[in-house]
Amino acid sequence: MLQGRAVLLGISGGIAAYKSAELARLLIREGCSVQVIMTRSAKKFISPLTMHGLTGRPVYSSLFHDHYRAATAHIELAREPDLAIVAPATANILGKTAMGIADDLLSTVLMAIDLEKCPVILAPSMNVTMLENPAVRGNIHTLEARGFLVADPGRGDLACGEVGKGRMAEPLELLGLIKKRLLGGRDYEGVTVLISAGPTREALDPVRFLTNHSSGKMGYALAGAARDRGANVILVSGPTALEPPWGVRFLPVVTAEEMYKVIMDNLPGTDIIIKAAAVADYRPVEPSGQKIKKAGEMQLKLVRNPDILREISTRKTVQFLVGFAAETENLQENARRKMEEKKLDMIVANDLGQEGAGFNVDTNIVRLLYKDGSVEKIPLMSKIQLSHLILDRIRKHRGTETEK
Ligand code: CTP
C-alpha cells in the first residue's frame, strides 16, 4: 500500500529500539524505502548492521563522519522523505526538538524538516516518572502544538521494572498511524470546520469571574487534526493555557456572549461545526464596575447565557453539527436528550467520573451518539487519536447525510 513512499526512521537510545527493527521490516513489506538515522546511544541498543540489513540502505548517524554524503547531508535527508518517524523517541530527543537544539544528525534533520510537506511522528518511550515529568510533558505539548504527531505511549510493564505508561506504541500501531498520514492524509481538503474550545469567563467584577475546568485540549486537538487532514479550520477559543495550533484561523474570545457573536458571524461558509467548548450557562446580571468588597453573606444574581448550539441549529443550513456533553451521571440519556434538543447530527459524550476522561488530561473515554440512534463506545485513547476517530466518523455520517 505504501509502494514508492520514502520514510525516514529516526532511532534514539532506548530499550524499545529493538521494536524499530520490526517497524522497519513492516514498512519495507509495504513497499516503502526506509532511511534510518540512529543517534549515538541508539547504537548501544541495536546494531546499525541490523537496520542496514533490513532496509538495504546504509544507516546514518553522524553529521560529519558519513563520508559518502555532502556537508549539507542533513538538508538532503530532510527533503527526501514523505514522512519521518522517531521511534523510540527519548526524553532527550523530544527536549532537543522542542527547544530547537541541533547537536547531532537526527536532531539537525528534524529541525530541517518542513512539517507542511513531511509529517513527523514521535513515539515516546521512557520510564513512567520521566514521562510524567513536567519538563517532558511540556515538551510534548509544545511539539504537538507545532504540528508534530505524538504516538501515545502504552501502559504496561516497563524495562525498569515499574508498571505504568511509557511503553513505545507497538510497531503495528505505528504502521497504522503512518498509513493514515500517507494515504488518508488530506481527506478534509476544501472543507471548512469551525471548532469551539475551552471555557468561557463571566466577570463578577474587574478581578473575579465565573468559569469551569475546561482546558481546551480536546478542541485544540480536533483543530490540529482537522488542519492536518487538509481542512480550513476556524478555532474559536475561550481563555486557555495552550498555544494556538499553527495554520488555523484563531479567534480568541472571553465570554459566552462573545463566543456566540463570533460563531454566528462565521457560520456562513462553514461545512462542519464542532462545539467542544464548555460554555458558561449563566453570567452575573450586572458585573460590578468596581471590586466587590466583602460584607456578610452575599447573593449572586445570574442570568442565562445564550445556548450557542441551540441557536446554531435554528440557523444552520447545510452544516453538520457536532456537540459535546460532559456528564457526571446518566451519560447516555443526558447526551441523547441534548442531541435531540439541540438538533445535532452527532454528540461526543464524556463521562467525567472516569479516570483518564474529561478535563485537563491528554486522554479521553467517550461514547459517540448519532442521529440515527446508534451509539459507539470508544475506549481510552489520546485526545489526538480521538480527534482523528471523530473526524473519521463525521466523514462517514456526513457522507450518508449528503446522499439522502
Ligand atoms: N453549549 C452551547 N452554549 C451553551 C451551553 C452549551 O453551545 N450556553 C454547547 C456546548 O459547547 C456543548 C453542548 O452545548 O457542545 C453541551 O454542553 P453542556 O454544558 O454539556 O450542556 P448544557 O446544554 O449546557 O446542559 P447542562 O449544563 O444542563 O448539562
Side-chain angles (χ1 to χ4, degrees):
M1 277 173 89
L2 298 177
Q3 199 65 40
R5 304 300 182 106
V7 173
L8 179 83
L9 170 58
I11 307 179
S12 60
I15 292 278
Y18 75 93
K19 292 191 195 169
S20 314
E22 175 64 5
L23 177 61
R25 201 184 62 80
L26 291 170
L27 286 167
I28 297 282
R29 209 174 60 184
E30 290 284 338
C32 285
S33 65
V34 180
Q35 176 60 62
V36 173
I37 297 181
M38 294 175 81
T39 63
R40 216 168 57 175
S41 16
K43 292 196 275 186
K44 307 239 185 239
F45 290 92
I46 183 168
S47 155
L49 199 60
T50 307
M51 300 312 297
H52 187 162
L54 284 168
T55 62
R57 285 170 169 246
V59 169
Y60 301 139
S61 63
S62 162
L63 272 166
F64 305 109
H65 303 300
D66 300 321
H67 298 297
Y68 40 85
R69 285 257 177 174
T72 54
H74 57 287
I75 305 295
E76 285 171 40
L77 285 166
R79 272 192 204 134
E80 284 164 1
D82 297 303
L83 178 144
I85 176 161
V86 183
T90 56
N92 185 43
I93 192 78
L94 294 172
K96 288 199 290 189
T97 313
M99 296 302 152
I101 296 169
D103 63 352
D104 65 0
L105 185 64
L106 183 56
S107 50
T108 310
V109 169
L110 285 175
M111 193 177 288
I113 285 178
D114 179 351
L115 287 180
E116 298 277 355
K117 297 188 184 131
C118 170
V120 179
I121 301 175
L122 303 165
S125 165
M126 67 197 76
N127 160 275
V128 55
T129 314
M130 289 174 74
L131 189 66
E132 281 168 7
N133 183 297
V136 174
R137 286 176 45 177
N139 288 335
I140 290 179
H141 280 146
T142 304
L143 291 163
E144 284 184 334
R146 286 198 199 132
F148 288 86
L149 203 93
V150 178
D152 202 33
R155 268 171 210 284
D157 295 331
L158 303 174
C160 53
E162 288 181 45
V163 178
K165 194 167 168 171
R167 288 168 65 90
M168 186 176 95
E170 295 302 321
L172 266 175
E173 205 181 322
L174 294 174
L175 180 68
L177 273 180
I178 292 171
K179 276 190 181 166
K180 183 150 215 169
R181 297 318 309 263
L182 286 178
L183 303 172
R186 314 276 301 171
D187 55 351
Y188 269 73
E189 201 97 53
V191 178
T192 300
V193 185
L194 189 151
I195 298 168
S196 76
T200 62
R201 277 184 190 169
E202 313 297 331
L204 285 166
D205 68 13
V207 284
R208 304 175 180 103
F209 51 80
L210 298 176
T211 189
N212 56 65
H213 285 298
S214 170
S215 62
K217 284 181 178 172
M218 191 65 235
Y220 280 54
L222 274 161
R227 170 211 58 210
D228 285 351
R229 290 167 73 154
N232 306 314
V233 180
I234 305 172
L235 177 61
V236 181
S237 174
T240 75
L242 306 173
E243 223 179 284
W246 58 273
V248 312
R249 213 168 126 225
F250 183 69
L251 305 174
V253 296
V254 178
T255 65
E257 284 183 300
E258 279 171 30
M259 185 174 273
Y260 173 81
K261 183 169 183 332
V262 169
I263 289 181
M264 291 308 161
D265 287 350
N266 284 278
L267 207 55
T270 59
D271 303 297
I272 296 165
I273 299 159
I274 310 179
K275 281 229 70 224
V279 186
D281 290 321
Y282 291 90
R283 65 173 186 279
V285 178
E286 190 70 57
S288 160
Q290 303 301 327
K291 187 179 172 203
I292 301 168
K293 293 291 174 193
K294 59 181 165 299
E297 204 169 82
M298 181 185 175
Q299 298 248 338
L300 263 183
K301 193 143 190 227
L302 305 174
V303 282
R304 284 287 297 270
N305 268 327
D307 188 317
I308 307 174
L309 254 187
R310 197 185 288 260
E311 200 52 39
I312 297 173
S313 69
T314 63
R315 294 211 207 163
K316 73 164 196 162
T317 47
V318 291
Q319 291 93 346
F320 190 90
L321 202 50
V322 183
F324 272 70
E327 304 294 342
T328 53
E329 57 184 358
N330 304 331
L331 177 68
Q332 208 157 305
E333 303 80 81
N334 281 334
R336 169 79 52 206
R337 185 179 43 76
K338 282 179 192 177
M339 180 160 74
E340 282 161 9
E341 280 175 13
K342 303 190 190 197
K343 299 195 178 63
L344 308 178
D345 297 291
M346 174 177 163
I347 193 158
V348 183
N350 249 313
D351 184 351
L352 294 181
Q354 287 201 67
E355 197 185 329
F359 297 134
N360 230 334
V361 285
D362 295 316
T363 53
N364 216 347
I365 311 168
V366 301
R367 280 183 209 192
L368 302 180
L369 281 72
Y370 305 97
K371 205 162 68 174
D372 62 11
S374 55
V375 182
E376 221 184 330
K377 271 190 173 180
I378 312 293
L380 179 105
M381 61 176 71
S382 77
K383 285 184 174 168
I384 297 194
Q385 276 172 298
L386 178 61
S387 299
H388 281 288
L389 190 142
I390 291 173
L391 292 172
D392 289 346
R393 300 304 187 268
I394 293 177
R395 251 193 98 211
K396 188 171 143 211
H397 285 261
R398 191 169 163 249
T400 45
E401 281 293 302
T402 347
E403 277 163 25
K404 273 185 200 161

